[in-house]
Amino acid sequence: MAAAANLPKFSAHPIVQAPMAGGAANPRLAAAVAASGGFGFLAAGYKTPEAMYEEIRQLRDQSTQPFGVNVFLPQPAATDPSAVAVYAEQLAGEEAWYGVPLGDPEAGLDDAYEAKVAILLEDPVPLVSFTFGCPARAVLDAFRKAGTYTVVTATTVAEAQAAEAAGADAVCVQGMEAGGHRGTHRDEPLLDGTGDGLLALLPQVREAVALPLTAAGGLMRGGQVAAVLAAGADAAQLGTAFLVCPESGASPLHKQALTDPVFTRTEMTRAFSGRPARGLVNRFVREHGPYAPPGYPQIHHLTAPLRKAAAAAGDAQGMALWAGQGHRLAREESAGRLVELLVEEMRAAREVAA
């Protein structure tokens, strides 16, 4: 296998702020991370193409540093409508409790993928990453011609190899510890709860592909950043660590829950979206997780009004509290100071290892 290439010098430090969809990642957070030498991301997931473009415009107004935009791949139409209907019946009590109707499961199945790609090709950004699959070679080639660097999320060696074969510039290797959705290319219910942790997966991918790698999954301290760099990564991507920063768009309830002793653990669940995602175990996960069928994004649309109503009511027990396994290590620091701390800890760990 050819020697791995290095990531382009997008930032002074090998620290990437994860593109957390749902509002946590925003222009303010990305700009603050970039200002301290990290790499900031925007999340196009669940936004309209117009809203995505507006956030890009805002970030460009706030920062001249390189940044990335994350895009969700369309999902195959394999969901069983009857299973979604049964789950909707099971959620009738939640409808009554929060006083809102369930959402339309068919509200949008492709997340406006084509329109977002068209905008990003017409007005290129430095980097675009993809989750829930690998784009066609023609799409990746088009971004290369536009001068945009492409990254594909992978949760297995085979997915990383598929990204390399399709012409991606780099791979984001996501371990089981990561908060939020698993970035698997296919949703395989029989594989729920399986998968490698980051430090087991990363060396396997490093030996299988020659692309630069970003490591993601439960990283909260600079010592962990040093560890994944030593294990073959070119950069480390952190989401939960930045979730509690004042610049993050996450709700105050979500931020507080990460270190609240009421929430003792995380779990992979389909309860909120129909796709495996890691979050804090609350009432909603306990009561509905065991019965939630495969069905993304239909289940996501179905439960969206419930989640919004729970947040408005100040009820964290009904919210999707996405969090990685290291959530207890969250620090309430500004994004810029957090980058500085991570760099200090990374350097200290390297000195000890030297």
Side-chain angles (χ1 to χ4, degrees):
M1 186 192 73
N6 291 322
L7 284 168
K9 197 66 173 178
F10 284 122
S11 58
H13 308 303
I15 294 171
V16 178
Q17 163 246 313
M20 299 167 283
N26 59 25
R28 185 180 174 212
L29 178 61
V33 169
S36 290
F39 185 79
F41 250 112
L42 297 176
Y46 308 135
K47 293 184 176 70
T48 65
E50 295 78 15
M52 177 196 75
Y53 187 76
E54 175 60 20
E55 286 207 342
I56 292 171
R57 187 194 65 76
Q58 292 177 17
L59 180 52
R60 285 171 168 159
D61 286 344
Q62 296 177 42
S63 174
T64 59
Q65 299 301 310
F67 63 94
V69 176
N70 178 254
V71 177
F72 288 169
L73 268 292
Q75 299 302 287
T79 300
D80 180 358
S82 63
V84 176
V86 169
Y87 191 56
E89 292 177 4
Q90 293 173 343
L91 295 176
E94 302 288 347
E95 276 188 297
W97 177 257
Y98 291 113
V100 295
L102 296 174
D104 177 7
E106 304 301 323
L109 304 182
D110 66 354
D111 202 44
Y113 172 75
E114 298 290 347
K116 290 173 182 177
V117 166
I119 289 172
L120 292 168
L121 287 173
E122 182 178 343
D123 189 1
V125 300
L127 184 151
V128 172
S129 70
F130 299 91
T131 301
F132 299 153
C134 182
R137 173 173 284 278
V139 173
L140 294 172
D141 287 347
F143 276 111
R144 181 171 293 107
K145 291 177 182 177
T148 297
Y149 195 82
T150 56
V151 181
V152 172
T153 303
T155 63
T156 66
V157 170
E159 290 176 352
Q161 291 172 323
E164 184 175 47
D169 292 315
V171 172
C172 178
V173 181
Q174 186 194 51
M176 279 289 289
E177 307 93 333
H181 283 94
R182 290 280 287 158
T184 53
H185 293 191
R186 296 178 61 187
D187 185 5
E188 299 282 1
L190 293 177
L191 299 180
D192 280 5
T194 67
D196 290 331
L198 182 58
L199 284 177
L201 177 61
L202 182 60
Q204 296 179 62
V205 175
R206 176 69 290 150
E207 291 192 6
V209 303
L211 298 179
L213 306 178
T214 298
L219 306 177
M220 302 292 290
R221 293 286 188 267
Q224 294 171 298
V225 173
V228 296
L229 295 179
D234 297 272
Q237 180 170 290
L238 297 81
T240 305
F242 286 105
L243 200 60
V244 296
C245 294
E247 298 91 345
S248 158
S251 74
L253 283 173
H254 194 167
K255 294 180 180 184
Q256 294 164 11
L258 293 174
T259 53
D260 188 335
V262 168
F263 301 100
T264 59
R265 63 187 178 88
T266 65
E267 183 177 294
M268 205 71 75
T269 182
R270 293 180 180 269
F272 296 105
S273 72
R275 217 180 198 279
R278 183 173 298 282
L280 299 175
V281 177
N282 58 8
R283 178 193 60 79
F284 199 100
V285 171
R286 287 192 297 270
E287 293 183 2
H288 302 295
Y291 311 105
Y296 178 87
Q298 288 88 345
I299 302 299
H300 163 79
H301 296 311
L302 192 72
T303 67
L306 301 177
R307 289 178 274 128
K308 291 177 182 177
D315 182 11
Q317 294 294 336
M319 297 169 58
L321 303 172
W322 304 138
Q325 287 184 339
H327 65 94
R328 289 252 177 230
L329 296 174
R331 296 178 279 197
E332 295 183 20
E333 301 282 356
S334 70
R337 178 55 183 154
L338 180 56
V339 172
E340 293 172 357
L341 286 170
L342 291 167
V343 171
E344 291 169 7
E345 293 165 351
M346 178 185 69
R347 289 173 175 167
R350 284 175 162 176
E351 289 176 3
V352 170

